[in-house]
Amino acid sequence: EDKVVQSPLSLVVHEGDTVTLNCSYEVTNFRSLLWYKQEKKAPTFLFMLTSSGIEKKSGRLSSILDKKELSSILNITATQTGDSAIYLCAFTLIQGAQKLVFGQGTRLTINP
Amino acid sequence: DTEVTQTPKHLVMGMTNKKSLKCEQHMGHRAMYWYKQKAKKPPELMFVYSYEKLSINESVPSRFSPECPNSSLLNLHLHALQPEDSALYLCASSLLPAEGTGELFFGEGSRLTVL
């Protein structure tokens, strides 16, 4: 059965710290891995990764995929209180690639 | 327009009621989705429509009935629900895999409470 596991499940840091969130997967017919941020309601898209070793960056956030290790990390530098959210990792499949399956998420809290 | 709009935002219904959740997008996406999210859990896929046809049903009970009347609209008809069906129902849309990245755009959700 395809699955994705995120760690840690919960993380509390101080503003200005750097955090690394992990996502590992066991998926046959892997197509892509996506990161989403969910605050109060709808998840918002952060990154999509399909190629191993290529870093995607957006401001203070960056992410990279390691297909050999079947994992991905999401880095946030110089964290701000507005980064407090649940960060969700998800994968899509080559077959039935419309099916986005989420991990359980990492709840990140940034304290001032 | 990069929005997925869901109505109503909140819905309270009894177990004998019939109600509907609605979702609309005007991004030209031909794939639309219903997800269910319980508190402190990730979204769980319920249904996928592509080209207005149901392509994935994740063994959802028949008391949930999806409908895609056209390429911009997606409905979820609710009948004889149970209290454990109370959750946030998220609609999403995307380009189809052959057309784009597969990124899903989510609506704000409809928070359903079944009494």
Side-chain angles (χ1 to χ4, degrees):
Chain A
E1 183 183 338
D2 296 327
K3 65 178 182 180
V4 55
V5 176
Q6 292 187 244
S7 63
L9 292 180
S10 181
L11 183 59
V12 181
V13 301
H14 289 293
E15 205 168 17
D17 288 351
T18 293
V19 297
T20 299
L21 310 183
N22 299 284
C23 175
S24 63
Y25 60 91
E26 292 178 24
V27 174
T28 53
N29 299 311
F30 173 88
R31 179 173 186 253
S32 62
L33 188 144
L34 294 87
W35 284 96
Y36 281 81
K37 176 183 181 182
Q38 186 171 26
E39 295 175 83
K40 291 182 181 175
K41 289 192 177 174
T44 53
F45 175 77
L46 294 175
F47 299 110
M48 190 184 80
L49 305 158
T50 54
S51 300
S52 196
I54 297 176
E55 186 181 48
K56 295 268 182 100
K57 289 198 74 167
S58 177
R60 296 176 294 102
L61 277 67
S62 64
S63 184
I64 195 162
L65 177 66
D66 186 336
K67 282 188 174 179
K68 190 175 175 184
E69 296 295 326
L70 305 182
S71 66
S72 174
I73 60 170
L74 175 68
N75 278 322
I76 309 175
T77 59
T79 52
Q80 302 171 356
T81 54
D83 295 327
S84 295
I86 296 173
Y87 289 84
L88 295 162
C89 165
F91 64 84
T92 63
L93 307 172
I94 292 173
Q95 293 159 342
Q98 303 162 255
K99 185 174 174 177
L100 192 70
V101 180
F102 287 91
Q104 71 272 52
T106 293
R107 182 178 292 274
L108 177 63
T109 303
I110 311 296
N111 288 327
Chain B
D1 185 357
T2 56
E3 281 192 350
V4 176
T5 304
Q6 289 187 243
T7 55
K9 289 186 168 42
H10 298 275
L11 178 63
V12 179
M13 60 186 291
M15 289 190 284
T16 58
N17 292 157
K18 282 187 183 180
K19 297 286 184 183
S20 296
L21 305 181
K22 298 185 183 303
C23 176
E24 189 169 2
Q25 57 87 17
H26 296 286
M27 294 179 278
H29 291 170
R30 303 305 293 273
M32 296 187 76
Y33 312 75
W34 281 114
Y35 279 81
K36 173 182 177 179
Q37 188 173 26
K38 303 279 279 185
K40 299 186 179 181
K41 297 286 187 182
E44 292 179 3
L45 182 65
M46 298 175 72
F47 302 104
V48 181
Y49 274 81
S50 57
Y51 293 111
E52 296 88 71
K53 287 186 171 40
L54 183 65
S55 60
I56 296 176
N57 177 342
E58 290 287 287
S59 303
V60 179
S62 60
R63 57 185 184 270
F64 295 92
S65 175
E67 179 197 18
C68 191
N70 61 54
S71 60
S72 299
L73 295 174
L74 184 67
N75 298 321
L76 186 63
H77 302 299
L78 314 170
H79 175 51
L81 295 193
Q82 304 295 311
E84 58 264 30
D85 296 322
S86 298
L88 181 68
Y89 288 84
L90 292 163
C91 174
S93 71
S94 75
L95 292 169
L96 286 164
E99 301 167 331
T101 62
E103 170 194 347
L104 266 64
F105 292 81
F106 283 88
E108 291 288 299
S110 293
R111 188 164 296 282
L112 173 67
T113 302
V114 182
L115 301 177

